[in-house]
Amino acid sequence: MPDRKKFVYLPKAKNDFVVIGRGAAGSPEQEPPRAPGSRVVRPKKRSFAVDQSVTLAGVRLKNPVVVASGTFGFGREYGEFYDLSELGGICCKGLTLHRREGNPPPRIAETPMGILNSVGLQNPGVDAFIAHELPELRRHDLAVIANISGNTPEEYGIMCEKLSDAGVDLIEVNISCPNVKAGGLAYGTRPELAAEVTSVAKAHAGKTPVMVKLSPNVTDITEIARAVAGAGADALSLINTLRGMRIDVNTRRPILKMNTGGLSGPAVLPVAVRMVWEVHNALPGMPILGMGGVAKGEDAAQLMLAGASAVAVGTACFADPYAPIRVRDGLAEIAQRQGLDKVSALTGAVKPW
Ligand code: SIN
């Protein structure tokens, strides 16, 4: 087991590895149950006769599985389990212009079928990422996606310029963090501000494509999607976490020190599928990175059928570091079983009633 002290940019649950999502009983993805805290099982190597490559905003991914920002740090810790080149890409922990310590603990709370987090963008700052993390990631063959949050549109612009110069493959502009006072949801819930941040990001990102990460905490996600598309976004990622709250009935205190946090994990998957479907219908040509509760291949296939070009695996990584590999293989198996020659044929292929 890797040294947990090194997991500095990952939120910590009470138990190190909790079972959050598993394959349906009898499905090929199902692993034998294991006791909490016991060793995780490496999936068997499998090969498939389907083309797993996809394109997201002009960036080729060797397979459609990316790891979601905030659940995988900068890859170092998970790299002790497997070669990161097995992944299509990594969305790195959210960066800000300057280093942040994040919010006070407790900032992680388990929920039925998921977790609430109020991490508050703990990160080493964009310059430290470029100096220390990016060169390490570049040793692997995967797309590097930098996720950024700013207090002002100008901060987004400065970070885009630095990251584009540094040669990241894609910039994920986060306008949807529910855990910060400035920026975050204030941008992601107002179409005109979302558009302003997007156009500043685009103006400073050079040739690097810009993907905007949308919040589900809105009445109509297509309104925000259209606004950022109109401002030049090259792709959209959705969904970020849903705002939620847990209360200790004995102390009558919220479990999280920030009172509220963002809900992720299998509980949010149907919301994510619905929102990806709505955005894909509203903007059929817009590439989408779908995420929210993906724990197995079937979850990923639902998001792709709804319109995603690629999918991100997040919270499931805390329960099982190999979750992205299982999702990748499960997805390829579904495509193969359905007689497709490429996984990308699933995108948008839902047959609505
Ligand atoms: C956090 O660090 O608070 C999570 C980031 C996010 O939800 O965008």
Side-chain angles (χ1 to χ4, degrees), residues 61-302:
L61 308 178
K62 75 168 91 57
N63 66 64
V65 178
V66 168
V67 284
S69 178
T71 63
F72 214 81
F74 300 108
R76 286 181 187 264
E77 302 85 358
Y78 289 89
E80 295 181 24
F81 290 92
Y82 49 87
D83 183 352
L84 300 183
S85 306
E86 297 225 30
L87 303 168
I90 175 174
C91 290
C92 297
K93 173 62 191 159
L95 300 167
T96 48
L97 192 51
H98 305 292
R99 178 189 167 85
R100 280 175 68 104
E101 291 300 323
N103 292 328
R107 54 189 198 178
I108 294 285
E110 291 173 34
T111 66
M113 302 285 285
I115 60 173
L116 278 174
N117 94 80
S118 58
V119 171
L121 298 175
Q122 178 187 346
N123 80 94
V126 68
D127 291 333
F129 166 76
I130 290 169
H132 306 301
E133 304 295 344
L134 189 54
E136 191 60 31
L137 281 167
R138 280 288 172 231
R139 292 179 42 241
H140 304 277
D141 173 24
L142 82 170
V144 177
I145 304 171
N147 174 296
I148 58 167
S149 287
N151 291 324
T152 61
E154 291 67 36
E155 285 191 5
Y156 283 94
I158 297 168
M159 284 187 278
C160 280
E161 206 161 301
K162 285 174 184 270
L163 289 162
S164 177
D165 290 349
V168 300
D169 296 298
L170 193 53
I171 299 173
E172 183 176 50
V173 170
N174 188 357
I175 54 167
S176 46
C177 175
N179 304 323
V180 288
K181 289 198 176 82
L185 273 186
Y187 291 138
T189 53
R190 292 167 62 186
E192 68 287 0
L193 293 183
E196 186 186 345
V197 170
T198 305
S199 50
V200 173
K202 276 295 291 174
H204 290 83
K207 289 197 167 66
T208 311
V210 168
M211 175 167 75
V212 181
K213 186 166 186 177
L214 304 185
S215 172
N217 301 295
V218 290
T219 310
D220 179 3
I221 196 161
T222 65
E223 201 188 349
I224 307 284
R226 284 184 210 279
V228 301
D234 300 293
L236 302 175
S237 58
L238 59 145
I239 57 173
N240 205 326
T241 54
L242 284 146
R243 287 191 76 210
M245 184 174 187
R246 270 191 61 200
I247 297 173
D248 180 328
V249 295
N250 295 317
T251 62
R252 300 185 177 184
R253 292 275 199 194
I255 308 271
L256 298 175
K257 195 66 171 226
M258 298 301 288
N259 298 320
T260 64
L263 179 67
S264 60
V268 312
L269 177 69
V271 179
V273 173
R274 188 262 296 177
M275 289 191 160
V276 166
W277 182 62
E278 286 177 345
V279 170
H280 180 65
N281 282 340
L283 299 164
M286 175 61 77
I288 296 174
L289 176 64
M291 70 191 77
V294 175
K296 55 188 194 290
E298 188 191 312
D299 305 336
Q302 288 192 59

Side-chain angles (χ1 to χ4, degrees), residues 269-348:
L269 177 69
V271 179
V273 173
R274 188 262 296 177
M275 289 191 160
V276 166
W277 182 62
E278 286 177 345
V279 170
H280 180 65
N281 282 340
L283 299 164
M286 175 61 77
I288 296 174
L289 176 64
M291 70 191 77
V294 175
K296 55 188 194 290
E298 188 191 312
D299 305 336
Q302 288 192 59
L303 284 168
M304 290 188 71
L305 288 166
S309 300
V311 293
V313 179
T315 301
C317 299
F318 299 138
D320 176 4
Y322 294 104
I325 310 294
R326 287 186 223 285
V327 170
R328 179 199 66 189
D329 291 353
L331 192 53
E333 186 186 310
I334 288 167
Q336 185 166 280
R337 202 169 62 224
Q338 296 190 355
L340 304 176
D341 58 352
K342 49 186 188 197
V343 175
S344 63
L346 290 168
T347 296

Side-chain angles (χ1 to χ4, degrees), residues 45-58:
K45 258 206 158 33
R46 301 166 70 188
S47 55
F48 299 94
V50 286
D51 177 3
Q52 296 190 49
S53 66
V54 296
T55 305
L56 181 69

